[in-house]
Amino acid sequence: MTEFTSSFMRTMSERGFIHQATDAGGLDTLMNNKVVTAYIGFDCTADSLHVGSLLQIMMLRHLQRCGHRPIVLMGGGTTKVGDPSGRDDARQLLSDEDIGRNKAGIRRIFERYVTFGDGPTGAVMCDNDEWLSTLRYIPFLRKVGRYFSVNRMLSFDSVKLRLEREQPLSFLEFNYMILQAYDFLELRRRYGCELQMGGSDQWGNIVNGVELARRIDRQAIHGLTSPLITTASGAKMGKTAQGAIWLNAERLSPYDFWQFWRNTEDGDVGRFLQLFTDLPLEEIRRLAALEGRELNHAKKVLADEVTGLCHGSGAAQAAAETARRTFEEGGRGGELPSLPVDRQDLEDGLWVVEALRRSGLVASNGEGRKLIRNGGARINDVVVSSEEYRVGLADLDAEGIVKLSSGRKRHALLRAGIA
């Protein structure tokens, strides 16, 4: 491991954030000598980011905590083009209204992780639509496009892998790397930005930006990428059978978010504590050394810390209390996902497979039948023995609620409406 002297690079290295750097030693020296402005871009393809972006968000957080200035670049302009990195097909083209709505949803996430302000380390949020949408095509090609070799562009993974799989790549998408490189040039000019960070899949795009600034403005700037995070079992981080782990509460409840981290594989606990929490490394090493049932305590600490950062300490405490009541006391917590159901449906008898699917505990009727056959479906903590069972009024408790369970860790509530 390289011995860094700046607090930021030392933090990145010790916590496992560094995958590649254009000049790690030069960046370390720069950060020892001045306040460095750095950016990460986030395209507006949905109204929330998911846990796959959390590593980059934490990089911006550490950057500011180490005395430097983060820029959160909203990709209002590049979203209109679509990043081909890591995809087998083109992204859906969104309207300006869709992009604006998505941008508003994403903005709220960052307020919990960085502090915005006008001071030397105050975070900045801007939108590349400000400059990309005003570019004139021919002048842009003459000024910027001449520095990009098509031969070299074809060698980057974002393009090469798509072509190798014989998946179509539109000319629109092919332009993405040029626009991202131009973003870096524009941010250097507007804000003195000297570092772009991102995931490992962005390496080629970042290098293009570094080279463009050197060729056009004769300026040395830097790139730094984080590794692709997979779980101990080899799965992609944040991908579950139930879908993406979203960071906005409107997309995924704080309770379900807490549960995702509580269910971390044993072999990932220490690494995830390093990457996704602010806990000191000494405390993380102590927690990661726990074994057997004691390791569950470390998983709860991980869930509490990550949920507290993303949703606030109150939401984290409520999720932890709901889990305790649900799992340790066999009760029902108030933060469990809840689904209203028409009382008439219960009078008629609601097919249990339909109830499981409506509640989100299974993705399809077939998955629900399989869950029941394997003994994993429960109503009010009692195993469902028949695929033909009908949830009825007799299953309601005094508060008009039925508790559904998939296994021992996923639960939802059906709340009967007024007849």
Side-chain angles (χ1 to χ4, degrees), residues 51-314:
V51 79
S53 298
L54 192 53
L55 196 71
Q56 282 70 56
I57 295 173
M58 290 300 295
M59 292 175 81
L60 291 175
R61 179 176 175 82
H62 285 300
L63 180 85
Q64 188 173 51
R65 286 162 63 90
C66 290
H68 302 283
R69 182 170 66 155
I71 294 178
V72 178
L73 179 65
M74 305 297 287
T78 42
T79 302
K80 298 175 183 177
V81 175
D83 184 0
S85 302
R87 293 184 63 88
D88 289 335
D89 55 1
R91 296 184 187 273
Q92 178 184 359
L93 290 180
L94 302 177
S95 68
D96 288 349
E97 292 75 17
D98 290 334
I99 292 172
R101 184 167 52 251
N102 292 343
K103 186 165 59 175
I106 292 171
R107 284 178 185 272
R108 301 198 307 270
I109 296 170
F110 289 94
E111 294 173 355
R112 293 197 180 276
Y113 288 91
V114 296
T115 302
F116 293 93
D118 297 327
T121 65
V124 174
M125 181 174 283
C126 55
D127 185 345
N128 61 17
D129 196 50
E130 295 174 26
W131 51 84
L132 294 182
S133 290
T134 60
L135 290 174
R136 296 169 60 206
Y137 187 59
I138 297 299
F140 179 71
L141 289 181
R142 288 173 59 86
K143 179 180 178 181
V144 175
R146 64 194 181 97
Y147 291 109
F148 286 81
S149 161
V150 171
N151 306 65
R152 187 157 185 257
M153 291 169 74
L154 290 172
S155 72
F156 286 116
D157 284 345
S158 60
V159 173
K160 183 172 67 175
L161 294 178
R162 183 84 71 84
L163 297 179
E164 286 177 352
R165 295 169 183 162
E166 298 185 355
Q167 299 287 344
L169 178 73
S170 71
F171 181 70
L172 180 68
E173 295 172 281
F174 193 59
N175 279 272
Y176 188 92
M177 65 179 72
I178 300 178
L179 296 179
Q180 184 170 326
Y182 185 76
D183 281 345
F184 201 174
L185 182 71
E186 191 72 28
L187 289 171
R188 194 208 65 76
R189 292 172 173 177
R190 292 184 178 217
Y191 298 98
C193 182
E194 297 180 84
L195 170 64
Q196 181 185 357
M197 303 185 291
S200 58
D201 62 332
Q202 295 298 313
W203 177 248
N205 293 335
I206 291 173
V207 169
N208 280 332
V210 170
E211 293 183 355
L212 187 65
R214 177 179 58 81
R215 290 179 175 183
I216 292 182
D217 286 354
R218 309 289 187 213
Q219 292 291 324
I221 52 180
H222 298 268
L224 180 70
T225 64
S226 59
L228 173 67
I229 302 299
T230 57
T231 64
S233 61
K236 189 174 181 180
M237 171 69 177
K239 294 294 185 181
T240 71
Q242 289 70 48
I245 304 301
W246 298 100
L247 303 185
N248 278 1
E250 295 83 359
R251 281 275 198 158
L252 185 75
S253 73
Y255 172 78
D256 283 332
F257 186 79
W258 189 94
Q259 276 294 327
F260 168 77
W261 297 99
R262 169 62 181 82
N263 294 334
T264 294
E265 295 179 33
D266 292 358
D268 291 325
V269 175
R271 185 165 56 115
F272 287 1
L273 282 166
Q274 288 183 179
L275 293 172
F276 302 112
T277 79
D278 292 333
L279 289 177
L281 290 174
E282 183 178 349
E283 174 65 6
I284 291 173
R285 285 190 285 268
R286 184 190 71 79
L287 290 167
L290 298 176
E291 297 180 349
R293 295 175 66 90
E294 290 186 344
L295 189 58
N296 286 329
H297 169 66
K299 293 182 181 182
K300 291 176 183 177
V301 171
L302 173 65
D304 287 346
E305 293 292 322
V306 181
T307 306
L309 281 175
C310 189
H311 295 293
S313 58

